[in-house]
Amino acid sequence: MEKKKLFTGIVAGVIAIALVATIAYLYVNLDNQKKENKAMQELADLDKKEMESEYQQFANQYSEMKTQITNDSLVAQLTAEQEKTERLLKELKDTKSSDAREIARLKKELATVRAVLRSYVVEIDSLNRLNQNLTAENTRIRGQYNEATRQIEGLNTERASLTEKVAIAAQLDATGLSMQLKNKRGKKTDKTSKAKTVQVNFTIAKNVTAQNGQKTFYVRITTPSGTVLGGAGNFNYQNRSLEASMKKSVEYDGQETAITTYWNVSQSLMEGTYQVSIFADGNMIGSRSFTFK
């Protein structure tokens, strides 16, 4: 009888220990689950705030773009898109971050708003460029008209025409343009990864009408990504300041003149097509593209 009681006590003890262990495990697991849920909620809140910020930025951009144009039809389109963006922003603010389905829908709408905004940015930029070109063209034409009027009044039409022809004839011309990559031994290579020096050669054609004297030639190399291999300062071209890759000053006497310039590779060169342009006296006098592996 005592053995039976002892056995019953042992079983009861084991069951009690197992029960305590199970309760402890469930408590720890529940606590971990709460922590994970809290972390996920914090991430959801952060994601929602970032979306709200983007919606607000896009709405502000629409408002700013409307101040840059005078086209009533385009302004109306931008206003409609701005109102839509503000409506979606309000919907987002009224949505709980835990509403995964609604957040996903508004995130998809955000991507659409971003794409539409990008298309308007491109369109307005094109219109602005067109307006700038038209303004410049009108200014040029108006200047030509005034000049023609002065020429007629002063009986200088023929003289001015001759001067213009001489100026055009005096413009220099770069021929035989080449670009070579040199390795550390100074040998030619077609692989950008082995290039240590970029060599650009060109010849200034004979031009007896050009003004003789010291002239500076600027070489500008544009990489496949659109950046410029800089390092030689800036120069002016068509009322803009452009960055030069190399430059070289020579004494020009109107005869054919060969010129060689070098650029030391200070950055990793990518594969693709490079555009090389030559400038002198405020004019682009030669340009050519080269492709390297």
Side-chain angles (χ1 to χ4, degrees), residues 20-78:
V20 170
T22 300
I23 293 173
Y25 171 79
L26 292 175
Y27 177 83
V28 171
N29 188 58
L30 180 62
D31 185 63
N32 289 337
Q33 186 65 38
K34 287 182 178 179
K35 290 180 179 179
E36 290 178 2
N37 291 340
K38 182 179 179 181
M40 292 178 64
Q41 184 61 44
E42 289 175 351
L43 288 174
D45 291 341
L46 181 60
D47 187 44
K48 181 173 179 289
K49 288 181 179 179
E50 290 179 351
M51 288 173 60
E52 290 177 359
S53 177
E54 283 197 76
Y55 268 119
Q56 187 62 61
Q57 289 177 9
F58 294 161
N60 293 342
Q61 281 186 269
Y62 276 121
S63 180
E64 182 180 347
M65 284 192 295
K66 289 192 294 184
T67 66
Q68 301 174 359
I69 57 176
T70 57
N71 185 306
D72 293 339
S73 175
L74 187 55
V75 169
Q77 294 177 41
L78 293 175

Side-chain angles (χ1 to χ4, degrees), residues 45 49 62 80 96 135-136 176 180 207 250 276:
D45 291 341
K49 288 181 179 179
Y62 276 121
K96 293 182 179 181
T135 300
Q180 298 177 356
N207 191 333
V250 300
V276 180

Side-chain angles (χ1 to χ4, degrees), residues 47-259:
D47 187 44
K48 181 173 179 289
K49 288 181 179 179
E50 290 179 351
M51 288 173 60
E52 290 177 359
S53 177
E54 283 197 76
Y55 268 119
Q56 187 62 61
Q57 289 177 9
F58 294 161
N60 293 342
Q61 281 186 269
Y62 276 121
S63 180
E64 182 180 347
M65 284 192 295
K66 289 192 294 184
T67 66
Q68 301 174 359
I69 57 176
T70 57
N71 185 306
D72 293 339
S73 175
L74 187 55
V75 169
Q77 294 177 41
L78 293 175
T79 299
E81 291 299 332
Q82 180 183 2
E83 291 174 351
K84 175 183 177 182
T85 302
E86 291 173 343
R87 174 177 57 79
L88 290 171
L89 173 60
K90 184 178 184 305
E91 291 180 12
L92 178 61
K93 288 182 177 180
D94 294 339
T95 301
K96 293 182 179 181
S97 58
S98 58
D99 190 344
R101 176 174 295 182
E102 187 65 6
I103 291 295
R105 182 186 70 84
L106 291 170
K107 182 172 290 188
K108 186 177 181 180
E109 291 282 4
L110 180 62
T112 302
V113 171
R114 184 185 296 109
V116 171
L117 177 62
R118 187 181 296 115
S119 68
Y120 277 115
V121 168
V122 172
E123 181 178 354
I124 291 174
D125 181 66
S126 298
L127 288 175
N128 287 338
R129 288 177 181 273
L130 178 60
N131 288 335
Q132 290 174 359
N133 291 337
L134 289 175
T135 300
E137 184 66 10
N138 288 337
T139 301
R140 185 181 68 82
I141 293 175
R142 188 162 51 249
Q144 289 179 340
Y145 173 79
N146 293 335
E147 179 64 21
T149 301
R150 287 193 295 270
Q151 290 170 357
I152 292 173
E153 293 174 349
L155 301 177
N156 292 324
T157 303
E158 293 182 2
R159 181 180 177 183
S161 178
L162 178 60
T163 300
E164 183 179 358
K165 290 178 181 178
V166 170
I168 294 174
Q171 181 173 314
L172 299 177
D173 186 27
T175 63
L177 181 57
S178 68
M179 176 181 175
Q180 298 177 356
L181 303 181
K182 298 295 185 68
N183 59 24
K184 61 182 179 180
R185 294 186 177 88
K187 301 295 184 180
K188 181 180 177 180
T189 178
D190 289 328
K191 295 183 178 180
T192 56
S193 59
K194 294 184 178 181
K196 297 299 179 182
T197 305
V198 176
Q199 178 178 322
V200 174
N201 303 316
F202 57 94
T203 299
I204 304 302
K206 179 180 179 179
N207 191 333
V208 296
T209 63
Q211 183 178 1
N212 295 346
Q214 189 80 5
K215 293 185 178 295
T216 301
F217 298 89
Y218 297 92
V219 180
R220 179 178 167 91
I221 303 176
T222 305
T223 69
S225 65
T227 61
V228 176
L229 302 181
N234 290 53
F235 62 94
N236 293 324
Y237 174 66
Q238 295 185 349
N239 298 322
R240 293 183 300 165
S241 179
L242 299 182
E243 188 176 13
S245 305
M246 303 99 92
K247 66 178 180 179
K248 191 168 186 177
S249 297
V250 300
E251 188 72 18
Y252 183 67
D253 60 358
Q255 301 301 312
E256 185 175 272
T257 305
I259 297 176

